[in-house]
């Protein structure tokens, strides 16, 4: 079937197109710029005056895996207060901060998203993450496997094995867990907490291994670069949420020694200690560092006011934050000599000085980092806020008047301590399209999405232009997934299932012997079961894999 | 390993017969007609032999042998007539539970697991205040003090000591210096023989005093003015020593099996152990290791939680899920006659697990299932991990493992049967 999208205004930064009126065709789930010879469209959408973008991509959203499910189990009130009823086409199940997988998929699609990436997959829990994502309809998914607190990596590094051995282990992990990237969370710190350390700064020695977090960041970022994995090391830096943590964030950037590095939810890592309350914004310093180092990308982890739940692999800091739990409950878990997780519900209040300043710091970062290709639109769902607040966030970025109105509502001391009121920048639609489409596709190595070029996957979102960006991005007019209309006027019209995006760097299989022996000696799961096969993904887990290309492998 | 082809001999096999989910078993096919599981514990061998050698069975409607189509037709009729169907038992794998949720959402059913009581003893505590737990591998490598609450953990989970509590070696600390403290009425029970005698202490305590003992221990650990001898049947000096040991330990692990702690309001007792663990973490490290997962309670609860947003004991009777851990207990729904059709699913236990009820009962069960009274419909299904591949959660809820297929079988899986049933219901609608 040939579909014609007639006369829409294209915003396609990956191809340098900003507001050109052009026809597009959809054929076999792919985008074409010309109708194939002799074929006439069976269906034509008249998109005159409408904006056409690629489907949006969220590169950091906690939508699947053990810790998300702990949050759901702990917070039945989150469901109760946000029910979603079944329809003739869609299943029931709601939620807000910790939505059901079904609700998350539907809601993402209703907002024009077509791919989402779970950033914190503990290798032994990868099956669960993929099963949950398989049950997240409408979107393609993928994940980043967590390394850097696993005793095997720490042991290998402590023994001083060559970088090549590390690279093989990293590559094996990507294969075994069916992931597309590697994340490190509080490098070494989750492990250190198991030894009762309550903090571990970037240059502090781990209580057991002769290693510093800095070593882990360097080794892993180098491994990914040498393996040709497109996505840089995804780093949740040391000292999450600690006043004054901007210095460890800057040191983490340095630790990559020029290798590509992505700092996630950097808002939570951009705090100074100035002022009476010893809590201040370091947004300007962090933004400057990012602006100057082209190997660095960030996502913000914007805070929005209201009830949410924080879920993180960073047990060390989640445990430290337990007294802030709202409602008053929290869970922490040490997991399989690999990592851990902590779940602490939280309510951000606009009249609270710290929360208000967190909100302002996030916006400062968005507005002070110059290059929209290196800053990504996230709330670190649900840690800063649920992903459903993206349209509101986009309006804050695009509309200075609106932003200043909101600024006037927050804790006045926080507002006074932030540069936000003086920042005049307003994001353009083109820049929003970069940060939500073109850039995430590029940084993940997804050549066939995030753009509207010929041959791209036909994941397309059509908006009615509006002065109110929140309204416009909240309810797109049409969403196509793989060439099929799945959302009309913000409502699901065709439920579909996605696939899992993976990457397969080459490695020397000799590493498997070493890993296998380690698992046999110390673990409770053997090699054969650790690893998830393609057949298992497709038939058992229910989300077949799609393999994306690596860059050529470079020498260690 | 996930495998849809029946096994060759000697590959590692995952055992679905308790929540430990040991994955180091092999299939012995020396006698191809009588394949047997090798390795693992006695229970694994008995249960697998029973499942591997069960006679094939037919669908029954009103006691008469019928084909699957006829049985499904009757099920669909019953479910579409029902105002308040109950989908319970739920001893099934991930895909079985996925199908059960789709069906429940489609026909307005309420869901509960046959082990729901034990499951909710833990879950109510998690929902009230949260907890701090660990997993099998972490405990295996890190525990320097193990507190076993109750007397049944090692019999309910036969390889617990071998695989977790007293492994041959560990990454951190010396296993040979690990201490074990057993709390409970041990005078009536044999202490696990695989625990080292010289490093095992028994604190004798009646079952109904375990909750008090936990509170007292918390007080002692916190240095509150508590009288260590406040519980007449328990040796106060031992408790004082234990409190000190817990504070000195680098990584104490507190183990219980909620299935054993069956006193009324056992969740309050569990809460005490959870709070003890959390108190200890003020100064040192400690974690709970709640044992569960046998018969798929953790598996089905996980799937229910991610798909509906709520744990089990959730009802889809209205336009969306509503959760009530007290009202939606399946035994009570039956007793209060608030369900008018029971679909009972037990693909694993092979026990006589079906509750007695006068409402129409439809069963998806093992081929060798026996009944007191033939149900209205019986559909034999395969055992996950024996007749078809599947996924199953371990006790610690962090590690779902693939179950392979050990033999060719024409028994359908729960997922297949429920999928067909939902199609029929949709076709009727
Ligand atoms: S301990 Fe449990 S899982 Fe392990 S072999 Fe025995 S029954 Fe199977
Ligand atoms: Zn995150």
């Amino acid at each position: 079937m040939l579909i014609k999208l007639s006369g829409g205004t294209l915003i396609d930064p990956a191809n340098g197109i900003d507001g050109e009126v052009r026809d597009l065709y959809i054929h076999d789930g792919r985008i074409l710029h010309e109708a194939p010879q002799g074929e006439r469209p069976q269906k034509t959408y008249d998109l005159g005056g409408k904006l056409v973008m690629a489907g949006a991509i969220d590169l950091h959203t906690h939508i699947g895996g053990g810790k998300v499910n702990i949050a759901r189990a702990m917070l039945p009130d989150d469901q109760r207060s946000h029910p979603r009823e079944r329809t003739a086409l869609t299943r029931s199940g709601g939620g807000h901060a910790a939505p059901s997988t079904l609700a998350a998929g539907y809601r993402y699609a209703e907002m024009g998203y077509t791919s989402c990436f779970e950033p914190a997959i503990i290798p032994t829990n990868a099956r669960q993450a993929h099963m949950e994502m398989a049950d997240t309809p409408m979107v393609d998914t993928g994940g980043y496997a967590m390394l850097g607190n696993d005793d095997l990596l720490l042991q290998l590094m402590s023994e001083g094995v060559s970088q090549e051995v590390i690279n093989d282990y990293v590559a094996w992990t990507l294969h075994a867990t069916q992931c597309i990237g590697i994340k490190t969370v509080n490098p070494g710190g989750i492990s250190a907490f198991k030894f009762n350390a309550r903090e571990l700064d970037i240059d502090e020695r781990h209580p057991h291994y002769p290693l510093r977090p800095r070593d882990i960041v360097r080794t892993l970022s180098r491994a990914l670069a040498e393996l040709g994995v497109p996505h840089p090391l995804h780093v949740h830096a040391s000292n999450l949420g600690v006043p004054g943590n901007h210095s460890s964030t800057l040191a983490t950037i340095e630790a990559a020694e020029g290798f590509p590095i992505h700092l996630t939810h950097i808002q939570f890592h951009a705090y100074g200690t100035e002022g009476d309350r010893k809590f201040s914004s370091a947004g300007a310093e962090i933004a400057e560092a990012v602006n100057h180092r082209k190997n660095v990308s960030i996502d913000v982890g914007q805070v929005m006011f209201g009830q949410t739940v924080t879920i993180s692999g960073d047990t060390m800091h989640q445990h430290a934050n337990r007294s802030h739990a709202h409602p008053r409950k929290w869970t922490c878990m040490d997991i399989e000599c690999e990592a851990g997780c902590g779940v602490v519900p939280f309510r951000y209040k606009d009249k609270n000085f710290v929360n208000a300043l967190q909100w302002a710091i996030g916006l400062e970062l968005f507005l002070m980092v110059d290059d929209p290709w290196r800053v990504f639109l996230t709330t670190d769902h649900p840690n800063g806020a649920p992903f459903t607040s993206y349209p509101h966030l986009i309006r804050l970025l695009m509309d200075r008047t609106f932003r200043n109105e909101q600024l006037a509502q927050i804790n006045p001391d926080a507002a006074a301590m932030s540069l936000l009121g003086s920042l005049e920048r307003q994001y353009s639609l083109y820049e929003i399209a970069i940060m939500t489409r073109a850039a995430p596709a590029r940084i993940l190595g997804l050549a066939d999405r995030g753009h509207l070029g010929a041959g791209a996957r036909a994941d397309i979102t059509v908006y009615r232009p509006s002065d109110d960006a929140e309204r416009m991005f909240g309810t797109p007019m049409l969403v196509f997934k793989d060439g099929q209309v799945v959302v009309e006027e913000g409502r699901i019209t065709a439920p579909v299932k996605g696939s899992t995006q993976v990457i397969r760097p080459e490695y020397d299989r000799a590493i498997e012997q070493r890993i296998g022996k380690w698992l046999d000696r110390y673990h409770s799961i053997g090699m054969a079961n650790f690893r998830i096969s393609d057949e298992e993904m497709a038939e058992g887990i229910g989300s077949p894999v799609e393999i994306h290309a690596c860059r050529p492998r470079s020498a260690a | 390993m996930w495998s849809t082809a029946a096994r060759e001999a000697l590959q590692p096999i995952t055992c679905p017969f308790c929540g430990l989910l040991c994955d180091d078993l092999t299939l012995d096919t020396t006698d191809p007609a009588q394949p047997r599981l090798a390795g693992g514990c006695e229970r694994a061998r008995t249960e697998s032999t029973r499942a591997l050698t069960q006679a094939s069975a037919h669908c029954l409607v009103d006691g008469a042998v019928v084909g699957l189509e006829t049985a499904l037709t009757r099920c669909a009729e019953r479910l579409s007539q029902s105002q308040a169907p109950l989908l319970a038992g739920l001893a099934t794998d991930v895909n079985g539970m996925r199908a059960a949720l789709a069906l429940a959402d489609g026909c307005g059913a309420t869901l509960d697991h046959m082990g729901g009581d034990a499951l909710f003893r833990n879950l109510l505590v998690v929902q009230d205040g949260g907890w701090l737990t660990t997993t099998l591998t972490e405990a295996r490598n890190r525990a320097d003090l193990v507190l076993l609450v109750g007397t049944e953990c090692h019999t309910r989970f036969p390889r617990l000591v071998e695989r977790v509590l007293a492994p041959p070696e560990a990454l951190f600390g010396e296993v040979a210096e690990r201490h074990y403290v057993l709390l409970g009425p041990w005078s009536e029970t044999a202490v696990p023989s695989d625990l080292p005698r010289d490093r095992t202490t028994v604190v004798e305590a009646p079952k109904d005093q375990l909750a008090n003992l936990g509170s007292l221990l918390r007080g002692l650990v916190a240095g509150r003015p508590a009288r260590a001898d406040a519980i007449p049947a328990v040796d106060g000096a031992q408790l004082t020593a234990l409190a000190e040991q817990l504070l000195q330990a680098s990584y104490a692990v507190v183990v219980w099996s909620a299935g054993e702690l069956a006193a009324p309001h056992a969740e309050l007792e569990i809460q005490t152990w959870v709070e003890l663990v959390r108190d200890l973490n003020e100064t040192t490290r400690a974690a709970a290791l709640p044992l569960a997962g046998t018969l798929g309670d953790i598996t089905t609860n996980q799937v229910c939680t991610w798909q509906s947003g709520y744990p089990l004991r959730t009802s889809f009777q209205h336009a969306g899920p509503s959760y009530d851990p007290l009202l939606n207990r399946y035994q009570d729904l039956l007793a209060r006659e608030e369900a008018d059709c029971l679909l009972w699913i037990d693909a694993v236990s092979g026990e006589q697990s079906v509750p007695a009820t006068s409402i129409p009962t439809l069963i998806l069960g093992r081929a060798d299932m026996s009944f007191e009274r033939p149900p209205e419909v019986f559909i034999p299904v395969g055992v996950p991990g024996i007749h078809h591949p599947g996924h199953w959660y371990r006790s610690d809820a962090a590690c779902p493992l693939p179950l392979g297929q050990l033999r060719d079988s024409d028994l359908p899986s729960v997922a297949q049967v429920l999928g067909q049933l939902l199609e029929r219901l949709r076709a009727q609608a």
Side-chain angles (χ1 to χ4, degrees):
Chain A
M1 160 139 144
L2 185 69
I3 298 172
K4 182 176 183 185
L5 308 186
S6 173
T9 303
L10 273 51
I11 300 183
D12 183 15
N15 294 302
I17 295 173
D18 184 9
E20 266 176 56
V21 175
R22 267 199 203 178
D23 295 343
L24 292 178
Y25 296 87
I26 299 173
H27 190 254
D28 281 344
R30 299 270 157 185
I31 294 175
L32 298 178
H33 286 189
E34 317 258 324
Q37 275 278 303
E39 280 201 51
R40 315 203 47 179
Q42 278 97 327
K43 181 145 179 83
T44 300
Y45 291 90
D46 178 9
L47 302 184
K50 309 298 184 303
L51 295 172
V52 183
M53 297 189 193
I57 300 170
D58 194 342
L59 95 169
H60 190 114
T61 174
H62 298 278
I63 51 169
K67 62 192 184 309
V68 185
N69 228 25
I70 292 171
R72 294 186 189 106
M74 269 171 70
L75 301 168
D77 281 339
D78 184 60
Q79 281 295 323
R80 274 187 202 114
S81 53
H82 293 82
R84 185 178 177 117
E85 299 186 346
R86 75 177 73 93
T87 69
L89 292 173
T90 60
R91 298 259 307 269
S92 66
H96 178 59
S100 76
T101 55
L102 293 150
Y106 297 144
R107 189 67 198 114
Y108 260 116
E110 288 165 354
M111 287 171 26
Y113 278 76
T114 49
S115 302
C116 295
F117 292 83
E118 161 59 55
I121 294 185
I122 296 180
T124 40
N125 190 246
R127 270 187 188 88
Q128 173 166 358
H130 288 305
M131 290 192 288
E132 290 192 29
M133 288 194 281
D135 288 352
T136 303
M138 314 305 293
V139 291
D140 289 329
T141 59
Y144 318 145
M146 280 165 67
L147 289 178
N149 285 286
D150 51 311
D151 284 296
L152 180 48
L153 179 78
L154 301 181
Q155 179 67 31
L156 290 171
M157 285 179 63
S158 300
E159 286 171 17
V161 300
S162 70
Q163 180 74 34
E164 257 169 50
V165 172
I166 303 283
N167 296 358
D168 290 338
Y169 174 55
V170 169
W172 177 84
T173 303
L174 286 166
H175 284 240
T177 60
Q178 300 279 12
C179 280
I180 196 167
I182 297 286
K183 184 192 197 191
T184 190
V185 174
N186 184 1
I190 303 171
S191 162
F193 179 59
K194 295 172 184 172
F195 292 92
N196 203 28
R198 305 295 163 130
E199 49 187 36
L200 188 71
D201 207 348
I202 178 90
D203 282 312
E204 255 177 281
R205 189 186 178 279
H206 184 282
H208 179 76
Y209 299 101
L211 299 170
R212 301 163 304 164
R214 176 184 293 277
D215 307 321
I216 299 168
V217 170
R218 187 193 57 242
T219 304
L220 285 176
S221 55
R222 182 175 166 195
L224 293 167
E226 290 180 354
L227 287 168
V229 173
H231 192 49
L233 180 64
H234 202 95
V235 182
H236 157 144
S238 315
N239 288 329
L240 172 89
V242 177
N245 63 10
H246 69 295
S247 57
S248 22
T249 308
L250 296 173
T252 303
I253 290 175
E254 296 308 325
E257 296 183 359
F259 290 111
I261 181 172
H262 177 89
L263 283 108
T264 190
H265 46 69
I266 200 162
Q267 177 277 129
F268 289 105
H269 303 271
Y271 302 151
T273 49
E274 282 160 30
D276 295 345
R277 307 188 212 208
K278 303 275 177 254
F279 183 76
S280 58
S281 169
E285 287 110 299
I286 298 289
E288 193 189 291
V290 174
N291 286 336
H292 280 95
R293 287 169 186 77
K294 303 291 179 227
N295 63 317
V296 179
S297 58
I298 61 168
D299 66 82
V300 170
Q302 177 66 33
V303 154
M304 296 288 189
F305 304 117
Q307 176 69 47
T308 193
V309 56
T310 65
I311 52 182
S312 172
D314 193 343
T315 37
M316 176 185 266
H317 291 104
Q318 289 296 77
H319 186 259
N321 287 335
R322 66 197 182 282
S323 58
H324 301 303
H326 177 96
R328 303 204 62 80
K329 43 176 139 179
W330 57 272
T331 282
C332 282
M333 189 167 181
D334 297 322
I335 300 176
E336 290 297 277
C337 294
E338 288 193 327
C341 79
V343 178
V344 184
F346 193 80
R347 181 190 286 276
Y348 293 101
K349 301 188 191 87
D350 59 356
K351 301 294 186 257
N352 172 288
F353 169 76
V354 171
N355 300 166
L357 195 51
Q358 289 178 303
W359 176 86
I361 292 169
L363 293 172
E364 286 176 7
L365 286 159
F366 273 116
L367 297 169
M368 289 194 285
V369 171
D370 300 330
D371 180 1
W373 288 90
R374 293 193 289 122
V375 53
F376 298 88
L377 188 120
T378 69
T379 53
D380 189 19
H381 164 80
N383 290 312
F387 68 83
T388 45
S389 56
Y390 288 173
H392 180 80
L393 173 54
I394 292 174
R395 186 170 182 200
L396 287 169
L397 299 179
M398 292 188 71
D399 183 343
R400 183 173 178 232
T401 313
F402 176 67
R403 184 163 72 225
N404 284 340
E405 281 164 22
Q406 303 297 307
L407 180 62
Q409 312 279 320
I410 68 166
N411 178 295
D413 296 347
M417 277 188 75
S418 167
L419 291 171
L420 186 59
S422 68
L423 298 175
E424 293 186 6
R425 182 172 173 194
Q426 302 190 114
Y427 268 76
S428 65
L429 280 173
Y430 190 74
E431 288 174 314
I432 295 293
I434 293 173
M435 74 195 313
T436 57
R437 276 92 174 155
R442 190 165 86 179
I443 206 169
L444 287 165
L446 309 171
D448 64 343
R449 47 191 89 198
H451 67 94
L452 300 172
R457 171 178 294 275
D459 291 354
I460 301 170
T461 305
V462 179
Y463 298 102
R464 290 178 203 284
S466 164
D467 289 341
D468 180 347
E470 183 168 352
R471 205 165 90 207
M472 172 177 146
F473 283 96
T475 46
M477 177 183 147
L478 289 172
V479 180
F480 295 84
K481 180 84 196 85
D482 292 328
Q484 185 189 353
V485 179
V486 294
V487 172
E488 291 177 44
E489 304 300 345
R491 306 294 299 167
I492 308 282
T493 52
V496 293
K497 291 196 76 168
S499 57
T500 301
Q501 313 305 303
V502 303
I503 195 131
R504 298 280 167 79
E506 289 167 23
Y507 66 97
D508 181 347
R509 306 266 152 177
I511 191 72
E512 293 181 358
Q513 288 215 358
R514 178 145 198 179
I515 299 167
K517 264 190 211 136
W518 174 270
L519 293 174
D520 287 346
R521 275 178 78 173
Y522 300 114
H523 276 242
S524 46
I525 297 177
M527 184 88 169
N529 285 317
F530 203 100
R531 187 174 189 144
I532 309 172
S533 70
D534 291 356
E535 187 194 11
E536 184 184 349
M537 286 296 296
E539 291 171 9
I541 287 171
S543 184
V545 297
E546 250 179 83
I547 303 170
H548 294 270
C550 278
R551 304 200 177 105
R553 190 174 165 150
S554 60
Chain B
M1 229 167 83
W2 174 270
S3 153
T4 42
R7 294 270 184 176
E8 304 289 303
L10 292 178
Q11 283 172 318
I13 283 165
T14 309
C15 170
F17 295 110
C18 88
L20 290 186
L21 222 58
C22 302
D23 75 336
D24 57 350
L25 282 67
T26 53
L27 191 65
D28 177 353
T29 49
T30 333
D31 176 0
Q34 288 280 3
R36 297 181 320 115
L37 271 195
C41 68
E42 187 57 42
R43 184 194 302 176
R45 289 189 291 273
T46 320
E47 290 287 341
S48 61
T49 303
R50 203 150 71 89
L52 280 164
T53 56
Q54 65 185 11
S56 64
H58 300 283
C59 296
L60 304 174
V61 168
D62 299 326
V65 171
V66 297
L68 179 60
E69 295 299 307
T70 311
L72 283 170
T73 304
R74 176 66 74 89
C75 289
E77 273 169 27
R78 277 302 184 194
L79 287 176
S80 56
Q81 288 158 4
S82 166
Q83 302 299 307
L86 173 60
L87 243 76
L90 299 180
T92 181
D93 60 351
V94 167
N95 283 338
M97 188 57 191
R98 282 169 155 170
L101 280 153
L103 181 68
D105 200 20
C107 73
T110 303
L111 297 159
D112 192 12
H113 190 271
M114 60 170 77
D117 283 349
L119 179 74
F120 278 91
R121 277 171 213 141
N122 286 333
L123 218 39
L124 291 177
V125 174
V126 175
Q127 293 189 329
D128 189 53
W131 62 6
L132 196 163
T133 59
T134 191
T135 63
L136 301 188
T137 299
E138 204 73 60
R140 172 180 166 119
N141 286 289
R142 211 171 270 285
D144 58 350
L145 175 63
V146 177
L147 199 59
L148 269 171
V149 179
T151 56
E152 296 172 15
C153 289
H154 66 299
T155 46
R156 288 171 174 263
F157 299 87
R159 294 175 73 197
L160 177 68
V161 174
E162 171 203 337
R163 295 191 65 230
V164 182
L165 303 185
E169 59 177 334
L171 278 168
F172 313 109
E174 291 297 326
V175 180
E177 288 165 14
R178 219 174 255 194
H179 280 84
Y180 306 86
V181 179
L182 313 182
L183 295 181
W186 283 94
S187 57
E188 303 156 19
T189 311
V191 169
S193 57
D194 36 6
L195 285 179
R197 279 182 170 272
D198 54 331
R199 283 177 285 115
T200 300
T201 312
V202 171
V203 177
E204 181 65 28
K207 246 191 174 119
D208 61 2
Q209 290 301 316
L210 286 175
N212 289 338
L213 192 158
S215 313
L216 182 50
L217 207 47
R218 273 190 77 193
L220 294 171
V221 161
R224 283 198 287 271
R227 281 190 47 197
D229 58 357
I231 308 172
V234 179
D235 180 343
Q238 269 191 317
L239 286 189
T240 311
L242 176 55
E244 191 52 34
Q245 244 180 317
L246 286 164
L247 284 166
Q248 294 306 319
S250 301
Y251 199 86
V253 173
V254 181
V255 190
W256 68 84
S257 158
E260 175 186 357
L261 307 178
H265 299 294
E267 67 274 10
L268 298 178
E269 175 184 344
I270 289 172
Q271 188 138 36
T272 308
W273 301 116
V274 167
E275 293 305 332
L276 172 70
V277 165
R278 299 214 287 194
D279 291 350
L280 289 167
N281 278 281
E282 295 293 324
T283 55
T284 181
R285 287 306 320 275
L289 186 66
L291 298 173
T294 309
L295 298 180
D297 50 338
I298 301 283
T299 303
T300 52
N301 188 57
Q302 286 277 33
V303 183
C304 189
T305 304
W306 80 60
Q307 280 205 359
S308 77
Y310 289 124
L312 287 168
R313 296 193 173 166
T314 283
S315 163
F316 289 86
Q317 215 176 348
H318 304 292
S322 70
Y323 164 71
D324 196 315
L326 305 177
L327 285 180
N328 292 335
R329 181 176 181 261
Y330 81 86
Q331 297 93 326
D332 296 339
L333 289 174
L334 292 174
R336 291 196 308 262
E337 297 180 352
E338 285 174 9
D340 59 6
C341 177
L342 171 66
L343 174 55
W344 184 259
I345 297 170
D346 179 4
V348 187
S349 87
E351 304 293 320
Q352 197 176 305
S353 62
V354 190
T357 169
S358 58
I359 61 175
T361 301
L362 323 169
I363 296 177
L364 270 55
R366 275 172 58 151
D368 57 355
M369 188 181 234
S370 60
F371 325 99
E372 242 157 60
R373 217 154 44 104
E376 184 166 324
V377 180
F378 171 65
I379 300 177
V381 289
V383 181
I386 304 281
H387 303 108
H388 65 80
H391 287 106
W392 195 254
Y393 272 81
R394 227 165 60 173
S395 170
D396 50 27
C399 304
L401 285 181
L403 302 172
Q405 175 176 349
L406 301 190
R407 61 171 302 172
D408 288 321
S409 158
D410 47 17
L411 289 166
S413 65
V414 169
Q416 285 166 340
V417 174
L418 294 183
Q420 290 181 33
L421 195 47
L422 182 58
E423 264 171 39
R424 273 162 199 265
L425 283 174
R426 285 211 180 114
Q428 281 174 11

